[in-house]
Every structure is written in structure tokens, then in C-alpha cells.
């Protein structure tokens, strides 16, 4: 015995099918946030070294770097909890961009980690070429532009192993460039 489909059931299944076939929403380039990034030292904020573009996408926060005058190699790259790039004192010593605080960690993740497992501010590392430039497209899958408004974006002197061992916070070390996301 066959049970006939009711018109409402057919309409519902049709709507689900059509919704599944719809293409994803395009990225709105007009809603991109452009962040000026400056070199930083324990003495203060230095020259502009480029920009970082931030925009929302279905995959997360897209980050496009256009940076120069950086040391070649891999560098830790993070969102920090305060929208400040000035020096501050820690353990009786002035440090570059320490006013930005620690990594953005509103969910209280217990450890530094990958962009999928650690602090929300843990981003993919950037790689700087032999000429001192970084022009990369990265994605922070757990972030949206609204999450990072008013915070700082930071480049560290060293790479990032996404762990707290053997050195804290991935071993990135000193802060060498910073921008405020407004």
C-alpha cells in the first residue's frame, strides 16, 4: 500500500532541496576593515609597515596581510585583548606593545593552541619572505569581524609552535608589530 505525499510535505521537501542548492553568500568587500600596522619597540610605536585587511566570510574571519620591513621567516600572529599598541612595564622592564595585554581569550581556553583549539586570538602564523614582505591570505575559522573590534593584531619576533612548551605562548617572543582594529 502506497502512502501519498501531501502537498505541504512536497513543498517543504522542495524548499529544503532548493535551499541546499543555493550558492553561499558572496563576501562583501565593502565591509572589510583595514588595519594600519606599525613597528613597535619598548620605546614606543614606530613607522607604518603595512596593513592587514579583515573581512567576514562563511569560513570565518579572512585576514589579508600586506606587510613589509619584517625579519624573514615564520612569525607568531595573534589578536590581543586590548586595542593598544604602546609599550608597558612588566617585571620592572618596558616591553614593546605590552599595553595590548595577552592573547584574546574570552572563552578562557586553558592553553595556547592552533586557530581551532587554543585562544580565540591564536591565528595562523605568517611567513615573511627574504625581502621582508608578507602578503598572505589566512582564515581564523572561529572569529568574525565583530568579535575583534577594538582589539589589537600583533606580529611576534619568532615563529609559533601552537603550544606552551618548550616556551610559553608558542615561543613567538617579543612583539615587533601591532595594529589597532577600529
Amino acid at each position: 500500500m502506497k502512502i501519498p505525499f501531501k502537498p505541504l510535505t512536497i513543498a517543504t521537501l522542495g524548499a529544503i532541496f532548493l535551499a541546499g542548492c543555493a550558492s553561499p553568500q558572496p563576501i562583501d568587500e565593502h565591509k572589510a576593515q583595514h588595519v594600519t600596522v606599525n613597528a613597535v619597540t619598548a620605546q614606543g610605536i614606530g613607522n607604518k609597515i603595512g596593513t592587514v585587511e579583515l573581512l567576514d566570510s562563511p569560513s570565518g574571519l579572512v585576514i589579508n596581510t600586506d606587510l613589509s620591513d619584517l625579519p624573514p621567516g615564520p612569525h607568531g600572529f595573534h589578536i590581543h585583548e586590548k586595542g593598544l599598541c604602546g609599550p608597558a612595564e612588566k617585571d620592572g622592564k618596558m616591553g614593546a606593545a605590552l599595553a595590548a595585554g595577552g592573547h584574546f581569550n574570552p572563552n578562557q581556553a586553558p592553553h595556547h593552541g592552533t586557530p581551532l583549539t587554543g585562544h580565540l586570538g591564536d591565528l595562523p602564523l605568517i611567513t615573511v619572505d627574504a625581502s621582508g614582505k608578507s602578503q598572505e591570505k589566512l582564515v581564523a575559522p572561529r572569529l568574525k569581524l565583530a568579535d575583534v573590534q577594538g582589539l589589537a593584531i600583533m606580529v611576534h619576533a619568532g615563529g609559533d609552535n601552537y603550544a606552551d612548551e618548550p616556551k610559553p605562548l608558542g615561543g613567538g617572543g617579543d612583539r615587533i608589530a601591532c595594529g589597532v582594529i577600529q
Side-chain angles (χ1 to χ4, degrees), residues 31-90:
K31 292 187 179 183
Q33 173 82 39
H34 295 273
V35 180
T36 299
V37 178
N38 293 74
V40 293
T41 67
Q43 289 73 44
I45 299 170
N47 293 332
K48 176 181 175 181
I49 63 161
T51 60
V52 172
E53 179 189 62
L54 306 171
L55 58 134
D56 287 325
S57 80
S59 300
L61 183 65
V62 175
I63 304 166
N64 294 306
T65 65
D66 187 9
L67 304 171
S68 59
D69 298 323
L70 290 168
H75 293 274
F77 195 46
H78 306 100
I79 302 291
H80 281 249
E81 63 189 348
K82 297 177 187 168
L84 302 167
C85 289
E89 189 176 325
K90 180 178 180 183

Side-chain angles (χ1 to χ4, degrees), residues 56 61 79 104 106 120 142-151 181:
D56 287 325
L61 183 65
I79 302 291
F104 179 54
L120 283 180
R142 299 184 298 159
L143 290 174
K144 297 204 176 306
L145 186 54
D147 299 331
V148 299
Q149 291 295 314
L151 306 181
I181 304 163

Side-chain angles (χ1 to χ4, degrees), residues 4 8-9 29 51 65 67-68 88 93 100 111 118 122 131 139 146 157 173-174:
L8 182 59
T9 303
E29 299 288 335
T51 60
T65 65
L67 304 171
S68 59
K93 184 178 171 186
H111 302 289
D122 294 338
S131 69
V139 177
D174 291 339

